């Protein structure tokens, strides 16, 4: 049997790799999970009622492009959040979570060649792993650009040589960033969009952590692109209810961008996509129209940022996350630190290297741990306190 070569060099996925690393040892205390970014705050109480009220939708094929109600609720949210008016039916595509959208957008929008060669897809390093697999799936060359403390925790795409930039078709960017917790400010976005205009590539802005912030809402790529009058197809943004509304199991998000990009994504989805079941679209419609539960959620994360800052604030090299729910902690060696922490305390965290690729002998994030602040507050405080004394002393 012949199988494709294009995915043969993929490293093992972070979580099975972590299980192999840690599960050969017994935990050194009551287990606290701080590895996976699965929100554990409550989702809104009305979810069950909305599903019950729309249950007859299970008996129908769902609208492929999303119901008009959902499209309209998303467009209204974008207008409120970013002061950008988008067409509900031409510029929005509801998704089954951002992950599939980030993958399928590359299939739908990445050209076969650029300047006669395979195109290049830029992504930060470390990064959310679907970006790389999307690039490989379309025969593009993924280019992993360091996003470390030295570059402000965001990738410095502008520093790439012109001969590389000329072959770029798509640049992924995650803001607020997983795992670094960094936020691209308006000036950063303006510079990236100007670079994309100059070299004619698209920006895929993964903004699924956009609503988990301390005080100031992070600016969005579509917002800045609109303000500076960029090409209408320049930016596609990706948003999710997984983090904003604590509904990772709903599998609901959206892409928004230029009408040509969204039409191409819809076309692919018509052939090969799996639309969200109608009762779940009804939940999503209600969720995008409600900010009360989002404010409550943000308040819970604010309390967690304060706990983290209190416990870890004086650790050399600690940089408080600007947004999102990950800590990105400095250690000598991420794998060794994760094993030590597990064996001595039972706290489970992810070595930073598991989210990165080695390039020219260096793996950005190999000297980091990613710590998800998703557990209930007391559990999280306990986990961080044990982490602090195990890895950094009292
Ligand atoms: C950076 C980033 N992008 C996208 C996703 C996918 O989220 P979902 O598919 O649940 O919307 C995640 C989930 O953890 C993430 O961390």
């Amino acid at each position: 049997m012949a199988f494709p070569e294009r995915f043969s060099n993929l490293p093992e996925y972070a979580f099975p790799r972590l299980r192999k690393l840690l599960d050969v040892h017994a935990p050194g205390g009551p287990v606290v999970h701080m590895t996976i970014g699965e929100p554990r705050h409550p989702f809104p109480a009305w979810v069950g009622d909305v599903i019950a009220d729309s249950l007859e939708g299970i008996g129908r094929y769902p609208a492929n492009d999303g119901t008009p109600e959902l499209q309209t609720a998303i467009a209204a949210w974008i207008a409120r959040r970013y002061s950008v008016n988008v067409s509900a039916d031409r510029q929005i595509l509801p998704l089954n979570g951002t992950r599939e959208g980030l993958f399928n957008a590359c299939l739908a929008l990445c050209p076969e060649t650029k300047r006669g060669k395979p195109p290049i897809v830029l992504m930060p390093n470390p990064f959310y792993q679907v970006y790389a697999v999307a690039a490989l799936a379309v025969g593009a060359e993924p280019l992993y650009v360091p996003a470390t403390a030295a570059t402000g925790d965001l990738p410095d795409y502008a520093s790439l040589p012109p001969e590389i930039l000329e072959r770029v078709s798509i640049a992924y960017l995650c803001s607020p960033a997983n795992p670094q917790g960094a936020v691209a400010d308006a000036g950063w976005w303006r510079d990236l969009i100007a670079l994309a205009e100059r070299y004619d590539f698209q920006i895929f802005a993964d903004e699924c952590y956009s609503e988990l912030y301390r005080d100031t809402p992070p600016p969005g790529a579509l917002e800045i692109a609109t303000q500076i009058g960029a090409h209408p197809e320049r930016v596609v943004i990706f948003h999710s209810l997984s983090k904003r509304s604590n509904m990772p199991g709903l599998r609901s998000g959206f892409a928004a961008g230029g009408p040509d990009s969204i039409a191409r994504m819809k076309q692919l989805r018509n052939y090969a996509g799996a639309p969200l079941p109608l009762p779940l679209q009804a939940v999503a419609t209600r969720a995008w129209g409600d900010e009360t539960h989002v404010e409550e959620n943000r308040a819970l994360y604010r309390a967690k940022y304060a706990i983290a800052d209190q416990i870890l604030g004086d650790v050399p090299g600690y940089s408080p996350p600007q947004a999102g729910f990950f800590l990105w902690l400095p250690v000598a060696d991420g794998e060794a630190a994760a094993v030590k922490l597990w064996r001595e305390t039972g706290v489970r965290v992810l070595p930073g290297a598991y989210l990165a690729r080695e390039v020219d002998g260096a793996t950005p994030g190999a000297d980091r741990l990613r710590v998800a602040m998703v557990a209930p507050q007391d559990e999280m405080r306990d986990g961080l306190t044990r982490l602090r004394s195990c890895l950094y002393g009292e």
Side-chain angles (χ1 to χ4, degrees), residues 152-180:
D153 285 324
L154 295 168
D156 185 4
Y157 293 147
S159 69
L160 294 168
E163 60 274 20
I164 295 285
L165 289 167
E166 276 163 6
R167 283 181 50 210
V168 172
S169 287
I170 289 164
Y172 282 97
L173 197 281
C174 183
S175 172
N178 170 9
Q180 302 90 336

PDB file of all heavy atoms in Angstrom, residues 152-180:
ATOM      1  N   GLY A 152       9.847  39.874  20.832  1.00  0.00           N
ATOM      2  CA  GLY A 152       8.605  40.347  21.447  1.00  0.00           C
ATOM      3  C   GLY A 152       7.528  39.269  21.456  1.00  0.00           C
ATOM      4  O   GLY A 152       6.338  39.578  21.509  1.00  0.00           O
ATOM      5  N   ASP A 153       7.936  37.996  21.378  1.00  0.00           N
ATOM      6  CA  ASP A 153       7.023  36.854  21.409  1.00  0.00           C
ATOM      7  C   ASP A 153       6.099  36.765  20.205  1.00  0.00           C
ATOM      8  O   ASP A 153       5.129  35.990  20.210  1.00  0.00           O
ATOM      9  CB  ASP A 153       6.204  36.823  22.721  1.00  0.00           C
ATOM     10  CG  ASP A 153       7.044  36.347  23.894  1.00  0.00           C
ATOM     11  OD1 ASP A 153       7.893  35.460  23.685  1.00  0.00           O
ATOM     12  OD2 ASP A 153       6.865  36.864  25.001  1.00  0.00           O
ATOM     13  N   LEU A 154       6.367  37.570  19.194  1.00  0.00           N
ATOM     14  CA  LEU A 154       5.620  37.479  17.929  1.00  0.00           C
ATOM     15  C   LEU A 154       6.662  37.313  16.818  1.00  0.00           C
ATOM     16  O   LEU A 154       7.813  37.732  16.983  1.00  0.00           O
ATOM     17  CB  LEU A 154       4.798  38.759  17.693  1.00  0.00           C
ATOM     18  CG  LEU A 154       3.678  39.024  18.706  1.00  0.00           C
ATOM     19  CD1 LEU A 154       3.127  40.446  18.555  1.00  0.00           C
ATOM     20  CD2 LEU A 154       2.535  38.012  18.541  1.00  0.00           C
ATOM     21  N   PRO A 155       6.287  36.712  15.697  1.00  0.00           N
ATOM     22  CA  PRO A 155       7.295  36.468  14.649  1.00  0.00           C
ATOM     23  C   PRO A 155       7.634  37.750  13.888  1.00  0.00           C
ATOM     24  O   PRO A 155       6.740  38.548  13.598  1.00  0.00           O
ATOM     25  CB  PRO A 155       6.586  35.470  13.724  1.00  0.00           C
ATOM     26  CG  PRO A 155       5.119  35.762  13.920  1.00  0.00           C
ATOM     27  CD  PRO A 155       4.949  36.208  15.339  1.00  0.00           C
ATOM     28  N   ASP A 156       8.908  37.905  13.575  1.00  0.00           N
ATOM     29  CA  ASP A 156       9.335  39.107  12.839  1.00  0.00           C
ATOM     30  C   ASP A 156       9.366  38.776  11.338  1.00  0.00           C
ATOM     31  O   ASP A 156      10.428  38.591  10.746  1.00  0.00           O
ATOM     32  CB  ASP A 156      10.726  39.537  13.349  1.00  0.00           C
ATOM     33  CG  ASP A 156      11.167  40.842  12.723  1.00  0.00           C
ATOM     34  OD1 ASP A 156      10.375  41.441  11.967  1.00  0.00           O
ATOM     35  OD2 ASP A 156      12.310  41.260  12.981  1.00  0.00           O
ATOM     36  N   TYR A 157       8.186  38.720  10.737  1.00  0.00           N
ATOM     37  CA  TYR A 157       8.107  38.343   9.322  1.00  0.00           C
ATOM     38  C   TYR A 157       8.847  39.352   8.423  1.00  0.00           C
ATOM     39  O   TYR A 157       9.384  38.992   7.390  1.00  0.00           O
ATOM     40  CB  TYR A 157       6.644  38.226   8.882  1.00  0.00           C
ATOM     41  CG  TYR A 157       5.880  37.080   9.520  1.00  0.00           C
ATOM     42  CD1 TYR A 157       4.508  37.195   9.791  1.00  0.00           C
ATOM     43  CD2 TYR A 157       6.496  35.874   9.823  1.00  0.00           C
ATOM     44  CE1 TYR A 157       3.784  36.144  10.360  1.00  0.00           C
ATOM     45  CE2 TYR A 157       5.791  34.824  10.398  1.00  0.00           C
ATOM     46  CZ  TYR A 157       4.429  34.962  10.657  1.00  0.00           C
ATOM     47  OH  TYR A 157       3.719  33.926  11.218  1.00  0.00           O
ATOM     48  N   ALA A 158       8.858  40.615   8.848  1.00  0.00           N
ATOM     49  CA  ALA A 158       9.469  41.640   7.993  1.00  0.00           C
ATOM     50  C   ALA A 158      10.977  41.441   7.849  1.00  0.00           C
ATOM     51  O   ALA A 158      11.575  41.974   6.910  1.00  0.00           O
ATOM     52  CB  ALA A 158       9.187  43.031   8.565  1.00  0.00           C
ATOM     53  N   SER A 159      11.567  40.666   8.766  1.00  0.00           N
ATOM     54  CA  SER A 159      13.022  40.481   8.687  1.00  0.00           C
ATOM     55  C   SER A 159      13.412  39.406   7.681  1.00  0.00           C
ATOM     56  O   SER A 159      14.594  39.176   7.436  1.00  0.00           O
ATOM     57  CB  SER A 159      13.580  40.119  10.065  1.00  0.00           C
ATOM     58  OG  SER A 159      13.126  38.819  10.405  1.00  0.00           O
ATOM     59  N   LEU A 160      12.445  38.734   7.081  1.00  0.00           N
ATOM     60  CA  LEU A 160      12.783  37.680   6.116  1.00  0.00           C
ATOM     61  C   LEU A 160      13.302  38.311   4.823  1.00  0.00           C
ATOM     62  O   LEU A 160      12.887  39.416   4.455  1.00  0.00           O
ATOM     63  CB  LEU A 160      11.532  36.834   5.818  1.00  0.00           C
ATOM     64  CG  LEU A 160      11.019  36.018   7.007  1.00  0.00           C
ATOM     65  CD1 LEU A 160       9.623  35.463   6.712  1.00  0.00           C
ATOM     66  CD2 LEU A 160      11.985  34.874   7.340  1.00  0.00           C
ATOM     67  N   PRO A 161      14.183  37.595   4.122  1.00  0.00           N
ATOM     68  CA  PRO A 161      14.725  38.159   2.875  1.00  0.00           C
ATOM     69  C   PRO A 161      13.625  38.337   1.823  1.00  0.00           C
ATOM     70  O   PRO A 161      12.675  37.546   1.766  1.00  0.00           O
ATOM     71  CB  PRO A 161      15.725  37.101   2.401  1.00  0.00           C
ATOM     72  CG  PRO A 161      15.814  36.081   3.467  1.00  0.00           C
ATOM     73  CD  PRO A 161      14.708  36.272   4.437  1.00  0.00           C
ATOM     74  N   PRO A 162      13.765  39.377   0.979  1.00  0.00           N
ATOM     75  CA  PRO A 162      12.745  39.635  -0.058  1.00  0.00           C
ATOM     76  C   PRO A 162      12.468  38.417  -0.939  1.00  0.00           C
ATOM     77  O   PRO A 162      11.321  38.172  -1.326  1.00  0.00           O
ATOM     78  CB  PRO A 162      13.342  40.781  -0.881  1.00  0.00           C
ATOM     79  CG  PRO A 162      14.363  41.410  -0.001  1.00  0.00           C
ATOM     80  CD  PRO A 162      14.822  40.380   0.981  1.00  0.00           C
ATOM     81  N   GLU A 163      13.504  37.611  -1.246  1.00  0.00           N
ATOM     82  CA  GLU A 163      13.261  36.464  -2.141  1.00  0.00           C
ATOM     83  C   GLU A 163      12.364  35.419  -1.475  1.00  0.00           C
ATOM     84  O   GLU A 163      11.690  34.644  -2.152  1.00  0.00           O
ATOM     85  CB  GLU A 163      14.569  35.859  -2.661  1.00  0.00           C
ATOM     86  CG  GLU A 163      15.533  35.327  -1.635  1.00  0.00           C
ATOM     87  CD  GLU A 163      16.476  36.385  -1.052  1.00  0.00           C
ATOM     88  OE1 GLU A 163      16.163  37.595  -1.148  1.00  0.00           O
ATOM     89  OE2 GLU A 163      17.497  35.998  -0.468  1.00  0.00           O
ATOM     90  N   ILE A 164      12.344  35.387  -0.163  1.00  0.00           N
ATOM     91  CA  ILE A 164      11.399  34.520   0.558  1.00  0.00           C
ATOM     92  C   ILE A 164      10.019  35.184   0.544  1.00  0.00           C
ATOM     93  O   ILE A 164       9.006  34.554   0.194  1.00  0.00           O
ATOM     94  CB  ILE A 164      11.872  34.298   2.018  1.00  0.00           C
ATOM     95  CG1 ILE A 164      13.179  33.525   2.064  1.00  0.00           C
ATOM     96  CG2 ILE A 164      10.783  33.613   2.850  1.00  0.00           C
ATOM     97  CD1 ILE A 164      13.073  32.054   1.775  1.00  0.00           C
ATOM     98  N   LEU A 165       9.985  36.444   0.932  1.00  0.00           N
ATOM     99  CA  LEU A 165       8.684  37.136   1.048  1.00  0.00           C
ATOM    100  C   LEU A 165       7.926  37.125  -0.278  1.00  0.00           C
ATOM    101  O   LEU A 165       6.697  37.031  -0.306  1.00  0.00           O
ATOM    102  CB  LEU A 165       8.897  38.569   1.542  1.00  0.00           C
ATOM    103  CG  LEU A 165       9.326  38.667   3.019  1.00  0.00           C
ATOM    104  CD1 LEU A 165       9.835  40.065   3.349  1.00  0.00           C
ATOM    105  CD2 LEU A 165       8.166  38.294   3.939  1.00  0.00           C
ATOM    106  N   GLU A 166       8.659  37.177  -1.379  1.00  0.00           N
ATOM    107  CA  GLU A 166       7.986  37.164  -2.689  1.00  0.00           C
ATOM    108  C   GLU A 166       7.255  35.854  -2.949  1.00  0.00           C
ATOM    109  O   GLU A 166       6.338  35.802  -3.766  1.00  0.00           O
ATOM    110  CB  GLU A 166       9.015  37.422  -3.793  1.00  0.00           C
ATOM    111  CG  GLU A 166       9.256  38.903  -3.963  1.00  0.00           C
ATOM    112  CD  GLU A 166      10.516  39.225  -4.733  1.00  0.00           C
ATOM    113  OE1 GLU A 166      11.156  38.279  -5.234  1.00  0.00           O
ATOM    114  OE2 GLU A 166      10.835  40.422  -4.819  1.00  0.00           O
ATOM    115  N   ARG A 167       7.672  34.798  -2.280  1.00  0.00           N
ATOM    116  CA  ARG A 167       7.004  33.490  -2.485  1.00  0.00           C
ATOM    117  C   ARG A 167       5.947  33.182  -1.425  1.00  0.00           C
ATOM    118  O   ARG A 167       5.345  32.104  -1.441  1.00  0.00           O
ATOM    119  CB  ARG A 167       8.055  32.379  -2.487  1.00  0.00           C
ATOM    120  CG  ARG A 167       8.834  32.310  -3.804  1.00  0.00           C
ATOM    121  CD  ARG A 167       9.841  31.188  -3.770  1.00  0.00           C
ATOM    122  NE  ARG A 167       9.258  29.930  -3.329  1.00  0.00           N
ATOM    123  CZ  ARG A 167       9.939  28.987  -2.675  1.00  0.00           C
ATOM    124  NH1 ARG A 167      11.211  29.165  -2.388  1.00  0.00           N
ATOM    125  NH2 ARG A 167       9.343  27.873  -2.312  1.00  0.00           N
ATOM    126  N   VAL A 168       5.714  34.125  -0.525  1.00  0.00           N
ATOM    127  CA  VAL A 168       4.745  33.856   0.542  1.00  0.00           C
ATOM    128  C   VAL A 168       3.320  34.040   0.012  1.00  0.00           C
ATOM    129  O   VAL A 168       3.009  35.049  -0.632  1.00  0.00           O
ATOM    130  CB  VAL A 168       4.984  34.797   1.752  1.00  0.00           C
ATOM    131  CG1 VAL A 168       3.857  34.662   2.775  1.00  0.00           C
ATOM    132  CG2 VAL A 168       6.333  34.492   2.393  1.00  0.00           C
ATOM    133  N   SER A 169       2.485  33.057   0.276  1.00  0.00           N
ATOM    134  CA  SER A 169       1.066  33.174  -0.095  1.00  0.00           C
ATOM    135  C   SER A 169       0.195  33.467   1.116  1.00  0.00           C
ATOM    136  O   SER A 169      -0.820  34.134   1.017  1.00  0.00           O
ATOM    137  CB  SER A 169       0.567  31.880  -0.750  1.00  0.00           C
ATOM    138  OG  SER A 169       1.107  31.779  -2.036  1.00  0.00           O
ATOM    139  N   ILE A 170       0.584  32.881   2.254  1.00  0.00           N
ATOM    140  CA  ILE A 170      -0.244  33.014   3.457  1.00  0.00           C
ATOM    141  C   ILE A 170       0.684  33.172   4.658  1.00  0.00           C
ATOM    142  O   ILE A 170       1.718  32.495   4.745  1.00  0.00           O
ATOM    143  CB  ILE A 170      -1.135  31.764   3.638  1.00  0.00           C
ATOM    144  CG1 ILE A 170      -2.227  31.742   2.563  1.00  0.00           C
ATOM    145  CG2 ILE A 170      -1.769  31.725   5.043  1.00  0.00           C
ATOM    146  CD1 ILE A 170      -2.910  30.407   2.399  1.00  0.00           C
ATOM    147  N   ALA A 171       0.287  34.063   5.580  1.00  0.00           N
ATOM    148  CA  ALA A 171       0.988  34.162   6.862  1.00  0.00           C
ATOM    149  C   ALA A 171      -0.038  33.935   7.963  1.00  0.00           C
ATOM    150  O   ALA A 171      -1.041  34.643   8.045  1.00  0.00           O
ATOM    151  CB  ALA A 171       1.639  35.524   7.023  1.00  0.00           C
ATOM    152  N   TYR A 172       0.211  32.912   8.767  1.00  0.00           N
ATOM    153  CA  TYR A 172      -0.628  32.704   9.958  1.00  0.00           C
ATOM    154  C   TYR A 172      -0.086  33.575  11.085  1.00  0.00           C
ATOM    155  O   TYR A 172       1.129  33.742  11.232  1.00  0.00           O
ATOM    156  CB  TYR A 172      -0.554  31.245  10.419  1.00  0.00           C
ATOM    157  CG  TYR A 172      -1.387  30.267   9.614  1.00  0.00           C
ATOM    158  CD1 TYR A 172      -0.810  29.520   8.588  1.00  0.00           C
ATOM    159  CD2 TYR A 172      -2.733  30.079   9.897  1.00  0.00           C
ATOM    160  CE1 TYR A 172      -1.561  28.604   7.867  1.00  0.00           C
ATOM    161  CE2 TYR A 172      -3.489  29.156   9.186  1.00  0.00           C
ATOM    162  CZ  TYR A 172      -2.898  28.425   8.172  1.00  0.00           C
ATOM    163  OH  TYR A 172      -3.649  27.510   7.465  1.00  0.00           O
ATOM    164  N   LEU A 173      -0.993  34.090  11.849  1.00  0.00           N
ATOM    165  CA  LEU A 173      -0.584  34.824  13.044  1.00  0.00           C
ATOM    166  C   LEU A 173      -1.632  34.612  14.114  1.00  0.00           C
ATOM    167  O   LEU A 173      -2.835  34.713  13.828  1.00  0.00           O
ATOM    168  CB  LEU A 173      -0.439  36.317  12.710  1.00  0.00           C
ATOM    169  CG  LEU A 173       0.346  37.194  13.696  1.00  0.00           C
ATOM    170  CD1 LEU A 173      -0.434  37.586  14.915  1.00  0.00           C
ATOM    171  CD2 LEU A 173       1.683  36.552  14.140  1.00  0.00           C
ATOM    172  N   CYS A 174      -1.184  34.293  15.312  1.00  0.00           N
ATOM    173  CA  CYS A 174      -2.105  34.055  16.418  1.00  0.00           C
ATOM    174  C   CYS A 174      -1.970  35.201  17.423  1.00  0.00           C
ATOM    175  O   CYS A 174      -0.900  35.400  17.989  1.00  0.00           O
ATOM    176  CB  CYS A 174      -1.738  32.720  17.072  1.00  0.00           C
ATOM    177  SG  CYS A 174      -2.836  32.230  18.395  1.00  0.00           S
ATOM    178  N   SER A 175      -3.021  35.968  17.607  1.00  0.00           N
ATOM    179  CA  SER A 175      -3.015  37.041  18.606  1.00  0.00           C
ATOM    180  C   SER A 175      -4.396  37.137  19.228  1.00  0.00           C
ATOM    181  O   SER A 175      -5.373  37.268  18.493  1.00  0.00           O
ATOM    182  CB  SER A 175      -2.633  38.382  17.969  1.00  0.00           C
ATOM    183  OG  SER A 175      -2.814  39.438  18.897  1.00  0.00           O
ATOM    184  N   PRO A 176      -4.477  37.116  20.564  1.00  0.00           N
ATOM    185  CA  PRO A 176      -3.455  36.786  21.545  1.00  0.00           C
ATOM    186  C   PRO A 176      -2.848  35.418  21.254  1.00  0.00           C
ATOM    187  O   PRO A 176      -3.543  34.498  20.836  1.00  0.00           O
ATOM    188  CB  PRO A 176      -4.231  36.776  22.861  1.00  0.00           C
ATOM    189  CG  PRO A 176      -5.410  37.658  22.636  1.00  0.00           C
ATOM    190  CD  PRO A 176      -5.765  37.471  21.198  1.00  0.00           C
ATOM    191  N   ALA A 177      -1.538  35.329  21.517  1.00  0.00           N
ATOM    192  CA  ALA A 177      -0.784  34.185  21.028  1.00  0.00           C
ATOM    193  C   ALA A 177      -0.824  32.999  21.986  1.00  0.00           C
ATOM    194  O   ALA A 177      -0.630  33.163  23.182  1.00  0.00           O
ATOM    195  CB  ALA A 177       0.663  34.601  20.792  1.00  0.00           C
ATOM    196  N   ASN A 178      -1.086  31.852  21.443  1.00  0.00           N
ATOM    197  CA  ASN A 178      -0.839  30.582  22.108  1.00  0.00           C
ATOM    198  C   ASN A 178       0.478  30.055  21.546  1.00  0.00           C
ATOM    199  O   ASN A 178       0.576  29.873  20.332  1.00  0.00           O
ATOM    200  CB  ASN A 178      -1.974  29.591  21.793  1.00  0.00           C
ATOM    201  CG  ASN A 178      -1.674  28.182  22.260  1.00  0.00           C
ATOM    202  OD1 ASN A 178      -0.707  27.932  22.954  1.00  0.00           O
ATOM    203  ND2 ASN A 178      -2.518  27.236  21.848  1.00  0.00           N
ATOM    204  N   PRO A 179       1.510  29.846  22.346  1.00  0.00           N
ATOM    205  CA  PRO A 179       1.509  29.785  23.811  1.00  0.00           C
ATOM    206  C   PRO A 179       2.013  31.050  24.513  1.00  0.00           C
ATOM    207  O   PRO A 179       1.954  31.108  25.740  1.00  0.00           O
ATOM    208  CB  PRO A 179       2.510  28.652  24.066  1.00  0.00           C
ATOM    209  CG  PRO A 179       3.528  28.819  22.979  1.00  0.00           C
ATOM    210  CD  PRO A 179       2.751  29.284  21.769  1.00  0.00           C
ATOM    211  N   GLN A 180       2.492  32.051  23.787  1.00  0.00           N
ATOM    212  CA  GLN A 180       3.272  33.101  24.460  1.00  0.00           C
ATOM    213  C   GLN A 180       2.432  34.100  25.254  1.00  0.00           C
ATOM    214  O   GLN A 180       2.966  34.831  26.091  1.00  0.00           O
ATOM    215  CB  GLN A 180       4.126  33.868  23.431  1.00  0.00           C
ATOM    216  CG  GLN A 180       5.090  33.009  22.635  1.00  0.00           C
ATOM    217  CD  GLN A 180       4.446  32.480  21.351  1.00  0.00           C
ATOM    218  OE1 GLN A 180       3.229  32.367  21.232  1.00  0.00           O
ATOM    219  NE2 GLN A 180       5.272  32.151  20.384  1.00  0.00           N
TER     220      GLN A 180
END
